């Protein structure tokens, strides 16, 4: 079980792209009636009739140009075949009544929530039982429901709070569901649409953070008021239990459950900014604000120890220092008596070039995965006789290793293992040290002539920036290879090797190369790597990216005529800075769901929640360092930019499409060529289902082929 509260605006890196962020439904999300005096395109910061007519016109022009390319339909077909393949690995979660999987294919566009037994799952053809058919629900209710997961009540995990999004936006409805009867509970908990966080307290009580009406949402468009809702109460009868402030990012409730389903505390995470939080223990005799670092997360409970992950150094007591990225633990009974008097002790600390990548608990073990120079390793840890014992888990070397799922009732776990050229495999760990590969993905593209190499570029300040390049074994070193450079560089998100069947089939097989840069601002080497390019020093991320591009050209892997950049959200901002600061280095730019107007980002969507990453444009000193790189303001006359392809989604209530719209409008004003496409649904992923994802990928690689190959 993992107890770390989800980042309310966390950025999720997708295959070959990045999708991330935070936000609130658009409608009237424009800059709250605060147009910029020198910005003629603030009218695109709404979904008005005029704005949507502009979108339709842009879509028609872009689709006409890209879909007319004879390669487009072939790419759609290849992508859809891969995405809908029935022999792909169905990812599962251990539950008391079996292994649960959410599945989408050609027949189940919205998806099926289904379950099977471990014995059946280990076979080539598992027998699945449907629990919830989201396609059938969508048809019955005439709504394009997108399944956003469920939270189930320990220990039975029978009653669950299911989150459903209309079209993929972050705002959900939440309904109580019975996994035994396989239906929504008559008269059960049913919360109308909002950005909301909910958690079970007991079978008849939940805590809810949501939009309760005027004055209950932060400037970042997240809730800061938490109320207790009891079974049978209407939503207006809920009782307030916690209130943050409008200046916070958010407030969200969570419960410390052990793996036997016992509660050891009801808490609230108050997000002070994107990275710093204050955690409060709710108690009848008076709430207790915990004296723990503001950059830390609870991981779980195992063997009577409460685990805490640190993202900053901590002097917990005189003579008791913990390094950044450490795991520490408390004696649970001592912590429950007085959490601020309990004394933590070290569980694990990183070595050089290491960072904690994941942590989860089984019934009696702590399972961790780490990155060691951007390569994965995994360990099982046991607590006995007052000490932790660490046992390596012998998974394949030189690969990315992720904890796929852990069991609460046993010590079983599963691991996903992947790299750029090896199809993903799923490994079963029995808890006693035995490993077995139980699933593998068939190869989806011909990698027989491909190799992966790792190099380093030297950034402007002398820092060595690692990057991976995937290319043909016989690639000529004459600068002629079409190359896409991917990056992210923000929010402590790590870009790690993973098998992308669609990228391989649509791009590598054509003789092209793909590069992934491990930029400062990311998390590949821990929190310090992130903090090295944050706020005042954010330009370092952009410098690192440009240094990698220059290194690719210097080594003659590619050339400016054959080099394109690709990235989404924060990665879209990265691409925006690349083409405005060094347009001479690139000939193509795929800009996905981007931030772009960084002088107004705090006014659009959930932008205010990202001030911790970039700074606050309302503060003159901070505005100055943001203005120095904000791509929207740096689109200027007299400069030839690499013709970009800008992608957004109308339903993106996190970053919002307003950034991308305004970038396109500014390019049109400058008579610069560009493509702009805005998917109506899909939220921040820019695609609500596999068909839309296939179309997005085909558009991207058709564009890249036109710009870099032709």
């Amino acid at each position: 079980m993992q107890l770390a509260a989800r980042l309310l605006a966390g950025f999720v890196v997708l295959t070959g792209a990045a999708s991330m962020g935070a936000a609130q439904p658009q409608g009237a999300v424009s800059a709250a009636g605060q147009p910029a005096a020198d910005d003629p395109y603030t009218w695109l910061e709404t979904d008005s009739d005029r704005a949507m007519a502009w979108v339709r016109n842009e879509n028609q022009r872009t689709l006409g140009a890209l879909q007319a390319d004879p390669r487009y339909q072939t790419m759609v077909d290849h992508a859809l075949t891969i995405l809908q393949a029935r022999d792909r690995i169905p990812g599962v979660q251990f539950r008391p009544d079996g292994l649960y999987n959410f599945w989408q294919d050609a027949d189940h566009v919205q998806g099926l929530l289904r379950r099977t037994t471990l014995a059946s799952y280990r076979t080539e053809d598992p027998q699945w039982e449907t629990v919830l058919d989201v396609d059938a629900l969508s048809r019955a209710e005439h709504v394009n429901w997108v399944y956003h997961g469920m939270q189930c009540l320990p220990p039975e995990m029978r009653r669950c709070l299911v989150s459903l999004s209309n079209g993929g936006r972050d705002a959900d409805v939440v309904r109580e569901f019975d996994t035994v009867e396989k239906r929504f509970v008559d008269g059960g908990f049913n919360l109308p649409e909002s950005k909301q966080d909910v958690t079970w307290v007991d079978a008849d009580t939940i805590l809810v953070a949501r939009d309760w009406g005027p004055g209950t949402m932060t400037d970042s468009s997240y809730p800061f008021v938490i109320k207790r809702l009891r079974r049978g109460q209407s939503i207006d009868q809920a009782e307030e239990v916690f209130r943050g402030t409008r200046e916070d990012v958010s407030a969200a409730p969570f419960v410390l459950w052990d793996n036997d389903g016992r509660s050891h505390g009801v808490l609230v995470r108050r997000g002070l900014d994107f990275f710093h939080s204050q955690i409060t223990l709710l108690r009848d005799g008076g709430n207790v604000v915990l004296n723990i670092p503001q950059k830390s997360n609870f991981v779980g409970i195992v063997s009577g120890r409460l685990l805490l992950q640190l993202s900053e150094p901590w002097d917990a007591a005189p003579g008791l220092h913990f390094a950044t990225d450490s795991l520490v633990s408390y004696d649970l009974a001592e912590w429950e008596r007085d959490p601020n008097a309990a004394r933590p002790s070290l569980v694990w600390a990183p070595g050089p070039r290491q960072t904690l990548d994941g942590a989860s608990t089984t019934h009696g073990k702590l399972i961790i995965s780490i990155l060691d120079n951007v390569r994965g390793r995994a360990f099982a840890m046991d607590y006995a006789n007052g000490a932790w014992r660490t046992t390596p888990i012998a998974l394949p070397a030189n690969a990315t290793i992720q904890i796929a799922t852990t069991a609460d009732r046993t010590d079983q776990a599963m691991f996903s293992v992947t790299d750029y050229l090896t199809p993903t495999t799923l490994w079963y760990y029995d808890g006693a040290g035995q490993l077995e590969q139980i699933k593998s993905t068939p190869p989806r593209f011909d990698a027989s002539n491909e190799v992966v190499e790792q190099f380093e570029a030297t950034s402007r300040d002398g820092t060595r920036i690692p990057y991976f390049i995937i290319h043909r074994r016989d690639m000529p070193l004459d600068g002629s290879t079409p190359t896409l450079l991917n990056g992210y560089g923000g929010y402590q998100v790590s870009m790690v090797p993973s098998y992308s069947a669609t990228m391989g089939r649509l791009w590598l097989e054509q003789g092209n190369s793909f590069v992934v840069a491990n930029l400062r601002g990311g998390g590949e080497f821990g929190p310090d790597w992130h903090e090295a390019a944050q706020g005042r020093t954010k330009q370092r991320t952009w410098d690192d990216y440009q240094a990698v591009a220059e290194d690719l050209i210097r080594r003659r892997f590619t050339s400016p005529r054959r080099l394109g950049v690709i990235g989404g959200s924060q990665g879209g901002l990265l691409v925006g800075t690349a083409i405005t600061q060094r347009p001479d280095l690139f000939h193509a730019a795929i800009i996905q769901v981007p931030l772009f107007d960084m002088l107004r980002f705090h006014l659009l969507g959930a932008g205010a929640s990202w001030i911790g990453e970039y700074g606050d444009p309302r503060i003159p000193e901070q505005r100055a360092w943001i203005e120095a790189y904000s791509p929207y303001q740096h689109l200027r006359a007299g400069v030839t930019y690499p013709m970009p392809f800008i992608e957004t989604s109308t339903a993106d209530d996190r970053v919002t499409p307003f950034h991308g719209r305004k970038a396109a409008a500014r390019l049109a004003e400058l008579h610069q060529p560009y493509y702009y496409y805005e998917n109506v649904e899909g939220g921040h992923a820019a695609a609500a289902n596999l068909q839309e994802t296939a179309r997005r990928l085909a558009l991207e690689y058709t564009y890249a082929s036109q710009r870099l190959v032709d």
Side-chain angles (χ1 to χ4, degrees):
M1 178 180 290
Q2 291 177 302
L3 292 175
R6 71 177 179 85
L7 283 177
L8 293 163
F11 293 77
V12 179
V13 176
L14 301 179
T15 302
S19 178
M20 50 167 251
Q24 182 70 352
Q26 278 128 250
V29 164
S30 98
Q34 302 176 53
D38 58 348
D39 186 349
Y41 300 116
T42 52
W43 61 272
L44 286 169
E45 295 176 1
T46 70
D47 289 339
S48 65
D49 291 343
R50 180 188 179 194
M52 295 313 296
W54 180 91
V55 167
R56 288 190 293 272
N57 182 68
E58 292 290 331
N59 283 355
Q60 183 178 13
R61 183 180 67 85
T62 296
L63 292 178
L66 294 178
Q67 292 180 338
D69 190 306
R71 290 168 291 200
Y72 169 79
Q73 191 56 51
T74 301
M75 289 187 179
V76 169
D77 294 341
H78 287 326
L80 204 53
T81 297
I82 291 168
L83 293 170
Q84 295 181 340
R86 295 182 182 274
D87 59 354
R88 67 189 191 271
I89 296 176
V92 293
Q93 294 293 313
F94 282 110
R95 301 267 181 184
D97 57 339
L99 301 181
Y100 275 68
N101 162 257
F102 184 72
W103 182 259
Q104 293 175 296
D105 59 25
D107 300 321
H108 308 97
V109 176
Q110 259 53 54
L112 288 175
L113 181 65
R114 56 187 191 170
R115 63 186 166 213
T116 190
T117 64
L118 177 59
S120 180
Y121 185 69
R122 294 167 72 124
T123 67
E124 291 187 6
D125 186 23
Q127 300 304 299
W128 296 97
E129 175 190 5
T130 298
V131 178
L132 173 62
D133 186 333
V134 183
D135 292 84
L137 181 67
S138 296
R139 289 192 297 270
E141 299 186 352
H142 306 289
V143 178
N144 181 21
W145 289 124
V146 175
Y147 176 74
H148 274 182
M150 65 181 182
Q151 183 182 153
C152 301
L153 176 66
E156 294 84 3
M157 312 292 273
R158 170 177 176 169
R159 291 291 181 92
C160 302
L161 299 171
V162 173
S163 296
L164 297 166
S165 164
N166 184 352
R169 64 183 71 244
D170 283 357
D172 293 322
V173 301
V174 177
R175 300 178 184 174
E176 185 177 0
F177 187 82
D178 189 315
T179 59
V180 174
E181 297 186 4
K182 297 184 288 189
R183 64 178 181 84
F184 291 104
V185 176
D186 293 336
F189 293 111
N190 191 338
L191 305 176
E193 185 181 64
S194 176
K195 279 188 180 178
Q196 52 193 326
D197 279 278
V198 298
T199 189
W200 291 99
V201 176
D202 56 45
D204 296 312
T205 312
I206 61 175
L207 291 182
V208 183
R210 58 169 286 117
D211 186 348
W212 301 101
T216 62
M217 300 291 278
T218 67
D219 293 337
S220 300
S221 76
Y222 291 106
F224 66 87
V225 175
I226 298 174
K227 296 187 179 184
R228 180 189 297 112
L229 185 64
R230 302 185 190 278
R231 188 172 300 280
Q233 288 183 324
S234 62
I235 196 168
D236 58 352
Q237 293 176 306
E239 310 157 62
E240 183 174 319
V241 297
F242 184 88
R243 177 177 289 261
T245 73
R246 180 169 177 168
E247 291 72 32
D248 296 339
V249 169
S250 62
F254 66 102
V255 174
L256 294 176
W257 302 99
D258 66 23
N259 287 341
D260 291 313
R262 294 186 295 262
S263 169
H264 294 272
V266 179
L267 302 98
V268 169
R269 176 178 296 278
R270 177 187 169 206
L272 305 176
D273 61 25
F274 194 94
F275 305 101
H276 297 84
S277 300
Q278 182 187 80
I279 297 181
T280 299
L281 176 65
L282 303 184
R283 283 189 165 172
D284 292 339
N287 295 342
V288 179
V289 177
L290 301 186
N291 293 333
I292 59 176
Q294 292 184 348
K295 296 178 68 176
S296 62
N297 283 302
F298 286 110
V299 172
I301 296 171
V302 66
S303 300
R305 307 293 296 183
L306 173 61
L307 296 151
L308 184 72
Q309 178 186 350
L310 308 178
S311 291
E312 61 179 311
W314 184 27
D315 292 314
L320 187 60
H321 174 80
F322 301 109
T324 299
D325 221 16
S326 297
L327 271 173
V328 302
S329 72
Y330 296 92
D331 177 271
L332 181 60
E334 182 183 351
W335 184 89
E336 286 187 288
R337 285 193 297 272
D338 187 344
N340 286 334
R343 186 178 177 88
S345 60
L346 182 67
V347 178
W348 178 88
R353 307 285 282 183
Q354 290 184 343
T355 184
L356 186 67
D357 188 49
S360 188
T361 60
T362 65
H363 193 266
K365 294 180 183 292
L366 167 64
I367 307 293
I368 67 170
S369 62
I370 71 169
L371 291 179
D372 192 342
N373 199 25
V374 203
R375 289 171 170 83
R377 299 174 66 190
F379 303 89
M381 303 186 71
D382 302 272
Y383 186 80
N385 301 319
W388 291 92
R389 181 185 65 177
T390 303
T391 304
I393 299 175
L395 290 161
N398 298 319
T400 297
I401 296 171
Q402 294 185 325
I403 304 168
T405 183
T406 54
D408 290 346
R409 305 287 181 84
T410 69
D411 286 333
Q412 297 168 307
M414 292 185 191
F415 298 89
S416 172
V417 179
T418 185
D419 61 42
Y420 289 119
L421 299 180
T422 307
T424 301
T425 56
L426 189 70
W427 293 73
Y428 168 73
Y429 173 76
D430 70 353
Q434 296 300 308
L435 273 172
E436 176 190 357
Q437 181 183 311
I438 60 172
K439 298 287 180 186
S440 63
T441 302
R444 304 295 190 196
F445 66 93
D446 182 5
S448 60
N449 194 37
E450 303 288 339
V451 294
V452 179
E453 295 185 278
Q454 187 180 33
F455 294 94
E456 289 185 339
T458 303
S459 194
R460 180 179 297 182
D461 63 359
T463 301
R464 306 291 290 177
I465 308 301
Y467 67 89
F468 293 96
I469 178 170
I470 311 104
H471 64 85
R472 285 285 182 96
R473 196 181 308 274
D474 57 354
M475 178 181 70
L477 296 180
D478 61 2
S480 64
T481 302
T483 301
L484 281 174
L485 169 58
N486 190 17
Y488 192 75
Y491 297 89
Q492 204 175 312
V493 170
S494 301
M495 298 287 280
V496 295
S498 63
Y499 187 78
S500 172
T502 52
M503 185 271 287
R505 184 69 180 87
L506 304 185
W507 188 247
L508 293 180
E509 273 197 3
Q510 319 315 313
N512 309 319
S513 72
F514 197 87
V515 177
V516 178
N518 301 123
L519 313 172
R520 284 176 290 181
E524 290 87 346
F525 301 109
D528 292 344
W529 190 250
H530 167 230
E531 292 174 5
Q534 184 182 4
R536 179 180 57 82
T537 59
K538 193 64 192 168
Q539 178 63 39
R540 289 175 179 168
T541 301
W542 326 139
D543 290 344
D544 293 354
Y545 200 46
Q546 294 159 34
V548 172
E550 291 174 326
D551 199 65
L552 292 168
I553 295 166
R554 181 182 64 82
R555 296 177 190 270
R556 296 187 60 77
F557 292 147
T558 190
S559 61
R561 170 62 182 82
R562 300 296 181 184
L563 180 58
V565 274
I566 178 172
S569 204
Q570 148 66 26
L573 172 61
L574 174 70
V575 172
T577 62
I579 66 171
T580 52
Q581 293 185 9
R582 290 298 308 274
D584 57 303
L585 291 178
F586 313 106
H587 198 62
I590 300 173
I591 306 175
Q592 304 154 321
V593 291
L595 288 80
F596 222 82
D597 183 353
M598 297 304 291
L599 297 186
R600 288 172 64 75
F601 81 91
H602 61 297
L603 300 171
L604 305 176
S609 66
W610 311 324
I611 286 173
E613 179 74 8
Y614 305 113
D616 190 339
R618 296 167 295 188
I619 300 173
E621 178 191 7
Q622 299 182 22
R623 182 183 179 90
W625 74 55
I626 296 169
E627 191 168 18
Y629 66 74
S630 179
Y632 181 60
Q633 284 74 25
H634 284 266
L635 289 171
R636 293 168 178 162
V639 179
T640 299
Y641 299 104
M643 175 183 175
F645 175 29
I646 303 169
E647 299 174 282
T648 66
S649 166
T650 310
D652 184 354
D653 55 357
R654 209 175 291 184
V655 169
T656 81
F658 308 152
H659 288 271
R661 290 179 189 175
K662 291 168 60 178
R666 176 66 174 149
L667 286 166
E669 176 192 337
L670 297 174
H671 304 291
Q672 294 277 349
Y674 67 91
Y675 288 134
Y676 178 87
Y677 176 67
E678 182 173 319
N679 189 26
V680 175
E681 296 183 322
H684 197 47
N689 52 55
L690 299 180
Q691 286 88 339
E692 291 182 3
T693 300
R695 179 178 62 191
R696 176 180 63 79
L697 290 167
L699 291 171
E700 290 172 358
Y701 287 113
T702 298
Y703 159 82
S705 298
Q706 289 181 353
R707 296 294 297 167
L708 303 178
V709 178
D710 293 350

